[in-house]
Amino acid sequence: MNRSELFLSAAVALLAVSVGCGGGPSISDELKMVPGLCFLHVHLDDELDVSLLPSGAGAAIPIWLVDSLHAKGALGISLLGVNLTDLSPQLLFLSRHVSPEEMAGIGASGFGCSAVQTGSGFDLVDGRGGILGSVAGRDGWACLITGSGSDRSTGRWLEMDEDGSLAADTDLVAISGSDADLNILISRNSISFLSVIPTGMLTRSQITYLNIARRIIADLGVAAARISADVTEGDPAGLLLEFRIVREGGNVASISAGFSDTGISPDSLISYLTAFYGLE
């Protein structure tokens, strides 16, 4: 996997976590704990089947960490940024179901490193002294940030107020309320980034998709967006998808689609789609 594909896979990996879920708690409080400059935020409900994630997602996001933390309860994952030297993603894992000590233990075990206590939490340190991630806690929440500069990022997270969080994006907040099993939140910052993302390392097909997205954003005047997935009960069970956007001026538009089949479960449908589109 080349560097541009690794960056795109980080976003795809987060978007692809839309499988086998059950209804979960409100994410309104969670937004207050997410830095406002993140590129993408996903809220996973309690009953996610992590085994259905595309295997290729493991190249950009530690699936074992998603699995271990999600086993404790609902989980938020944010794409905070990208290391411009190698396009590796910096990710934030956010939970109110584990303590910082427990989160540090899970991280140290999975990364095969040591959890070193600091004045603000824990650093996950490898045998050469490099920091693989950092853990901190505040207001009943615990976060683990991976990637370059994670110790500095957790320090900023501890000092962050509501004005510096996603909760300050009023357009995003306006459409964040949902009873769906999964919510993917795309803020104004994410949308602005698409207009300036460099294309030098992208493939021709990736540039084509990027230009299509840019045209849609420009034509509709998109200010914020939410993608939701909900596994509906019944016989047969089905899958309901919704795409909701806030357009410039505060106007809200939404598109929804449902699917059910007596011979195909929602989980099997998702597995089929990820394989069909080459995301496995």
Side-chain angles (χ1 to χ4, degrees):
M1 180 175 291
N2 63 38
R3 295 187 299 173
S4 61
E5 289 174 337
L6 183 61
F7 165 68
L8 293 175
S9 293
V12 170
L14 296 183
L15 290 170
V17 186
S18 58
V19 293
C21 315
S26 169
I27 62 172
S28 58
D29 289 337
E30 188 169 292
L31 292 180
K32 299 176 183 177
M33 295 291 115
V34 180
L37 294 179
C38 82
F39 294 112
L40 186 72
H41 182 70
V42 178
H43 176 81
L44 310 179
D45 191 40
D46 297 353
E47 299 181 8
L48 172 69
D49 185 355
V50 177
S51 67
L52 293 177
L53 284 175
S55 58
I61 183 171
I63 300 300
W64 61 266
L65 185 55
V66 176
D67 193 6
S68 298
L69 293 176
H70 182 265
K72 306 294 183 179
L75 178 67
I77 308 174
S78 300
L79 177 62
L80 294 186
V82 179
N83 186 328
L84 295 180
T85 61
D86 60 4
L87 292 185
S88 59
Q90 183 180 63
L91 302 169
L92 177 149
F93 297 83
L94 184 66
S95 175
R96 57 181 175 185
H97 300 285
V98 297
S99 66
E101 291 79 9
E102 187 175 7
M103 183 174 277
I106 291 172
S109 176
F111 283 119
C113 64
S114 301
V116 178
Q117 190 164 9
T118 66
S120 58
F122 299 87
D123 286 336
L124 304 179
V125 182
D126 64 18
R128 296 176 296 178
I131 298 177
L132 303 178
S134 298
V135 177
R138 55 174 286 201
D139 303 330
W141 294 85
C143 85
L144 190 162
I145 298 179
T146 66
S148 176
S150 59
D151 53 340
R152 296 186 297 274
S153 296
T154 52
R156 290 191 292 269
W157 180 78
L158 286 170
E159 297 174 355
M160 180 183 67
D161 58 20
E162 187 171 334
D163 289 340
S165 72
L166 277 185
D169 187 335
T170 55
D171 289 324
L172 187 64
V173 171
I175 56 172
S176 64
S178 171
D179 293 329
D181 301 331
L182 170 110
N183 285 286
I184 301 167
L185 300 174
I186 305 170
S187 68
R188 183 181 295 270
N189 179 61
S190 311
I191 293 167
S192 298
F193 176 73
L194 287 178
S195 66
V196 298
I197 186 173
T199 59
M201 290 183 290
L202 302 181
T203 66
R204 181 175 299 178
S205 62
Q206 289 168 344
I207 293 174
T208 298
Y209 287 126
L210 178 60
N211 288 334
I212 291 173
R214 287 171 171 172
R215 286 197 297 270
I216 292 173
I217 289 170
D219 291 344
L220 297 180
V222 179
R226 169 171 59 82
I227 302 171
S228 300
D230 193 44
V231 175
T232 58
E233 301 296 332
D235 188 15
L239 183 66
L240 178 64
L241 302 175
E242 181 184 31
F243 179 57
R244 177 165 291 198
I245 64 171
V246 178
R247 298 187 289 113
E248 297 294 349
N251 298 303
V252 178
S254 63
I255 301 172
S256 60
F259 174 89
S260 65
D261 189 295
T262 56
I264 305 176
S265 69
D267 293 350
S268 297
L269 171 64
I270 294 167
S271 297
Y272 169 78
L273 291 175
T274 54
F276 181 81
Y277 286 103
L279 299 177
E280 59 178 1

